Amino acid sequence: MPMPTLAVVGATGAVGAVMCDLLSSRRNVWGEIRVVASARSAGRKVQCRGEELTVQALRPEVFDGVDVAMFDVPDEISAEWAPVAVSRGAVAVDNSGAFRMDRDVPLVVPEINPEQVRNRPKGIIANANCTTLAMIVAVAPLHREYGLRELVLASYQAVSGAGQVGVDTLHDQLAKIAGDRVLGSRPGNVRQAVGDDLGPFPAPLALNVVPWAGSLKEAGWSSEELKVRNESRKILGLPDLKVSATCVRVPVVTGHSVAVHAVFGTEVDAEGAREALRNAPGVILVDDPAAGEFPMPIDAVGTDPSWVGRLRRSMDDPRALDLFVTGDNLRKGAALNTAQIAELLAAELASR
Amino acid sequence: MPMPTLAVVGATGAVGAVMCDLLSSRRNVWGEIRVVASARSAGRKVQCRGEELTVQALRPEVFDGVDVAMFDVPDEISAEWAPVAVSRGAVAVDNSGAFRMDRDVPLVVPEINPEQVRNRPKGIIANANCTTLAMIVAVAPLHREYGLRELVLASYQAVSGAGQVGVDTLHDQLAKIAGDRVLGSRPGNVRQAVGDDLGPFPAPLALNVVPWAGSLKEAGWSSEELKVRNESRKILGLPDLKVSATCVRVPVVTGHSVAVHAVFGTEVDAEGAREALRNAPGVILVDDPAAGEFPMPIDAVGTDPSWVGRLRRSMDDPRALDLFVTGDNLRKGAALNTAQIAELLAAELASR
């Protein structure tokens, strides 16, 4: 059969741009690639695989002849348009939150549950949240080794998780504060220097950390914190997994980090855990504090794997491990995982 | 009796400067105040209580006639000189790590264990680590209510925890990166822009988070992480408390934050926990996410209390609470707690 046709919906966003980068650098399994966005962006040019592609407006006909449609758009656009793509014959791979917890939509991380790709009664496959992805790729091999029971998580999330407007907001704020060496040492002076333009965030990010991401849900939990819990359970196939997450935004451009306390069913040892991680796909072990080697956003940005380090067995519980994980939230956390799922579909089509 | 004489040793450092601020703004219980530092700083002038004081070089005679000597100096200086101050008749209140875990030295947080001040066989009282202090003031009232069993902690630590050189390093780095809007989005470009001057940190802090504070101890744990564990146990009088901490430095000037997962012996409820915190000394409850109210460094800096918010009962364990705490690491985390201990001693002297 000829090489399949791919549509990239949301091609002009922050994740869409990374997607086009990835399609240009990964082994090519695609015939035609169509780039799709809102009517506002139609006609713009996008570079992909060395070609200049013209952005098409999102409408039903754009999916005719498409085999796989990747969506990197807001929840409500995905909810409406992924089924349209399916009705036109495509399989939809969706990076929004619209379908992740739908029982009839698999939530796939190719390093962990690739077989779930075939279990798609709605023709839709969901991609996990960026915070879940960075962490789960590192936790899954440990789960296979020791049997995961509980996760306590604290995140250090980059501003690009809120899109290009998040990145612009942080750079604007840093430009305003640079040179004033008193800022951050007196109450309120950062708020005053930054002014009212907080972009998509509830507070200034420059010289600050903001313990909030997403919207308010039940009992004080944020949507981001519940996503991490629910998606971790679904991806690992552990419906009773205990998960407590605190999600915090930090002044980092790209690269979500998570401090992980993982409790297992059996005793763990740090060297055995390191060995499991050395052999795990999608993971790079950076764990030599004496040499200054631990996972950090400035190193992980622009790379594919989850960077994992700071492995320590709890001093008070032989079944618990503490570790630190950093991953590029636009790549593995979004575009890369979507591309990997699409490539599983391309292989399935090729094997028919 | 006349008002007691106080010596401030390390008066020219970052914490010493905050100490002089505090002595100028708190209810005055002191007669003479002597400011002391290394011979290098002797002769410098320091403002305190509206007076201009001349810094004296550290030598044994400087403690003659001193009732209380506060030390904000490196561990090895405290280890040598706190006993000297005692031998000259002073009680030493030490903010270094030199004596904190000494069985014969109480580790005092006046909101939690003020009675321990009198239990000082060596004439020395220790002040806790800045990361422990921000968190423990919020956790202690919950312990009294529900009986603490376990803490899982992830910190977001400000650069001033590494002294004025830490603050200067971050400002220097921010000045170098401001205006370049590509930085942080490509691997290695922050390292390149920042250059080799990392100050007291093992990696750049601008646009980064660094999962390391202190020195390497057994089994991959950092000294900072072990301090939080050991000091929490000692302050709360819980020698078997389970504690796992991951300590992370973030690009914040002043204000240490901690994401806390606390497991108790009995069921908790978030509203009861809020009520306990509302009535607790040294705590301010800021817990209204819908209104954008949660604890953050840019608000907590320059203030006395621990800011506490994001209270949530775990969805999977009715005995567990998640919360977020921010405190000024130079005030409650250092100078303020030291001043409070010294004031307990002043009251003791006055009551004789």
Side-chain angles (χ1 to χ4, degrees), chain A residues 150-153 259-263 314 320-323, chain B residues 150 152 244:
Chain A
E150 181 174 4
L151 288 171
V152 180
L153 309 169
V260 180
H261 178 81
V263 185
S314 167
L321 266 178
D322 290 273
L323 52 147
Chain B
E150 180 175 4
V152 180
S244 282

Side-chain angles (χ1 to χ4, degrees), chain A residues 207-273:
Chain A
L207 299 178
N208 200 23
V209 300
V210 180
W212 192 256
S215 56
L216 180 61
K217 299 294 178 185
E218 67 265 34
W221 294 90
S222 73
S223 56
E224 188 84 354
E225 289 157 354
L226 297 186
K227 282 178 188 176
V228 172
R229 174 169 176 266
N230 295 331
E231 296 175 20
S232 297
R233 291 173 154 201
K234 183 166 176 176
I235 294 165
L236 297 176
L238 296 172
D240 299 322
L241 181 68
K242 294 163 77 172
V243 184
S244 282
T246 297
C247 288
V248 181
R249 193 79 67 179
V250 296
V252 163
V253 175
T254 295
H256 282 9
S257 304
V258 185
V260 180
H261 178 81
V263 185
F264 299 91
T266 57
E267 280 201 22
V268 300
D269 76 286
E271 200 38 60

Side-chain angles (χ1 to χ4, degrees), chain A residues 171 174-179, chain B residues 173-181 183:
Chain A
H171 280 303
L174 290 175
K176 284 179 184 166
I177 62 142
Chain B
Q173 292 179 354
L174 289 175
K176 284 179 186 167
I177 62 143
D180 186 338
R181 287 170 172 264
L183 290 179

Side-chain angles (χ1 to χ4, degrees), chain A residues 172 181 229 310 316, chain B residues 172 181 225 229 310 316:
Chain A
D172 288 348
R181 289 171 171 265
R229 174 169 176 266
R310 298 296 329 278
D316 303 310
Chain B
D172 287 347
R181 287 170 172 264
E225 290 158 353
R229 174 170 177 264
R310 295 302 325 280
D316 303 311

Side-chain angles (χ1 to χ4, degrees), chain B residues 103-106 114-125:
Chain B
R103 285 162 163 272
D104 294 328
V105 174
E115 73 287 352
Q116 292 293 319
V117 159
R118 288 174 180 267
N119 177 26
R120 50 174 196 265
K122 289 189 172 171
I124 301 171
I125 299 165

Side-chain angles (χ1 to χ4, degrees), chain B residues 35-123:
Chain B
V35 288
V36 181
S38 66
R40 190 165 40 84
S41 298
R44 279 176 58 182
K45 306 291 183 187
V46 164
Q47 290 292 327
C48 197
R49 295 191 303 187
E51 305 161 49
E52 188 177 75
L53 304 178
T54 301
V55 174
Q56 304 184 47
L58 180 59
R59 56 200 175 85
E61 297 73 28
V62 87
F63 297 107
D64 289 344
V66 167
D67 296 291
V68 178
M70 305 197 297
F71 284 80
D72 277 309
V73 295
D75 290 7
E76 63 277 15
I77 309 290
S78 280
E80 179 179 350
W81 285 92
V84 174
V86 172
S87 74
R88 296 273 164 161
V91 177
V93 184
D94 181 43
N95 189 35
S96 83
F99 298 101
R100 287 177 190 148
M101 297 315 298
D102 188 321
R103 285 162 163 272
D104 294 328
V105 174
L107 184 60
V108 175
V109 181
E111 291 86 348
I112 302 174
N113 59 350
E115 73 287 352
Q116 292 293 319
V117 159
R118 288 174 180 267
N119 177 26
R120 50 174 196 265
K122 289 189 172 171

